[in-house]
Amino acid sequence: MEVIKVADYEALSKKVCEIFINRLQTIENPVFGLATGSTPKGLYKCLVETYESGQISFANAKFFNLDEYIGLDKSHPSSYTYYLMKKLYEHIHLTPDQIYLPNGNATDLQEECARYEQCIRDCGHIDLQILGVGINGHIGFNEPGTPFNSRTDVVNLTESTMRVNSRFFKSIDDIPHRAITMGIGTIMESKEIIMLVSGKHKADTLQRMIHGNVTEDFPASILQKHPNVTVIADEEAFHD
Ligand code: F6R
């Protein structure tokens, strides 16, 4: 696990954007896995700006969303589909066959999870997966206690995750209690992972992710076992 410490959130976004663009330009048909939430916003902004300046093309790339709430329409402003459409996909001229989304409104959710796994396999697995981490160590929506070999599945959100994510909803009562998420086993099959960590409130999480025991009680700890992980964290995310 390589850990890169940067000064602040702006530097974090710039650093991950540089690496992302390098993979876009050096891998023949790159497959990216993308997280949502607050932390990767700067990355998506940087990618859009670089695209608009004419320096890069996404024509050969494919994108997989990491997770999605169950029961939200994709036009719902708090859905993860909407987030990535608005923050990235709509700005970089993709065709629909370049974008893969778990459908949280599928009638048969188990079949949907199997379909999503198959799509990832058919694309030859993810070349670069971007991750953020929950305070409780979750990656995707894989909450503490999730088996390390889990595959894409329907999961229940914990109270703490619902509370933290309620900031994206009008009220905590509006937040779905379930989601589809790539499994930990699925994420670990990515050829490369970049984990982004920003802010004081993640300092304990970062410490435990890098130096703590590898345990299913803290899902992000499994990244210590992946052969190609880079953690990019800003100064605030480190204990003094
Ligand atoms: C989002 C996701 C989550 C977030 C995590 C951190 O697609 O899968 O695991 O990465 O909750 O969220 P932020 O970045 O908002 O602190």
Side-chain angles (χ1 to χ4, degrees):
M1 186 183 257
E2 186 190 356
V3 181
I4 301 178
K5 184 173 178 177
V6 293
D8 52 21
Y9 181 70
E10 206 184 316
L12 175 149
S13 303
K14 197 166 162 240
K15 184 75 202 162
V16 60
C17 189
E18 265 169 35
I19 301 175
F20 197 110
I21 290 171
N22 172 277
R23 304 304 182 260
L24 179 70
Q25 295 180 324
T26 54
I27 300 172
E28 204 178 345
N29 293 301
V31 181
F32 295 103
L34 301 182
T36 59
S38 303
T39 322
K41 278 184 188 168
L43 163 65
Y44 303 139
K45 185 164 174 278
C46 174
L47 289 175
V48 170
E49 283 169 5
T50 314
Y51 175 79
E52 286 174 347
S53 72
Q55 299 170 61
I56 50 172
S57 159
F58 290 92
N60 297 328
K62 288 194 161 87
F63 298 89
F64 281 86
N65 277 30
L66 179 62
D67 44 15
E68 181 57 285
Y69 290 110
I70 287 175
L72 286 193
D73 194 80
K74 56 180 186 221
S75 62
H76 190 293
S78 304
S79 81
Y80 287 172
T81 298
Y82 186 91
Y83 171 111
L84 274 162
M85 290 309 269
K86 293 293 165 197
K87 296 212 172 349
L88 182 66
Y89 300 153
E90 280 183 7
H91 303 278
I92 58 172
H93 293 101
L94 302 178
T95 53
D97 61 329
Q98 291 179 271
I99 306 171
Y100 294 82
L101 306 160
N103 177 6
N105 278 317
T107 359
D108 186 335
L109 290 167
Q110 286 309 325
E111 195 179 284
E112 174 59 11
C113 293
R115 178 195 72 83
Y116 206 60
E117 278 280 320
Q118 191 58 46
C119 288
I120 296 172
R121 270 197 294 275
D122 291 347
C123 287
H125 295 287
I126 287 166
D127 289 301
L128 173 60
Q129 174 68 54
I130 303 294
L131 291 180
V133 63
I135 288 169
N136 64 2
H138 72 221
I139 47 176
F141 270 127
N142 298 290
E143 301 281 20
T146 307
F148 281 155
N149 63 359
S150 69
R151 313 303 307 183
T152 300
D153 207 352
V154 173
V155 294
N156 293 315
L157 274 54
T158 59
E159 287 290 327
S160 101
T161 296
M162 286 196 276
R163 220 174 18 254
V164 173
N165 285 10
S166 65
R167 69 191 192 280
F168 298 115
F169 290 81
K170 280 198 191 118
S171 117
I172 190 158
D173 300 327
D174 294 338
I175 183 165
H177 292 197
R178 294 189 306 158
I180 293 183
T181 182
M182 277 187 209
I184 298 179
T186 322
I187 293 170
M188 288 294 281
E189 281 167 7
S190 306
K191 293 166 202 161
E192 179 177 12
I193 295 174
I194 297 183
M195 162 59 83
L196 304 174
V197 190
S198 171
K200 268 195 189 50
H201 64 299
K202 297 265 178 89
D204 288 344
T205 305
L206 177 65
Q207 171 78 15
R208 207 170 158 192
M209 176 168 66
I210 305 174
H211 300 295
N213 292 338
V214 176
T215 162
E216 289 176 352
D217 292 339
F218 198 79
S221 63
I222 190 65
L223 298 180
Q224 293 176 29
K225 302 280 183 202
H226 190 284
N228 192 7
V229 173
T230 306
V231 177
I232 308 177
D234 59 13
E235 268 176 25
E236 285 203 334
F238 287 86
H239 282 300
D240 300 330

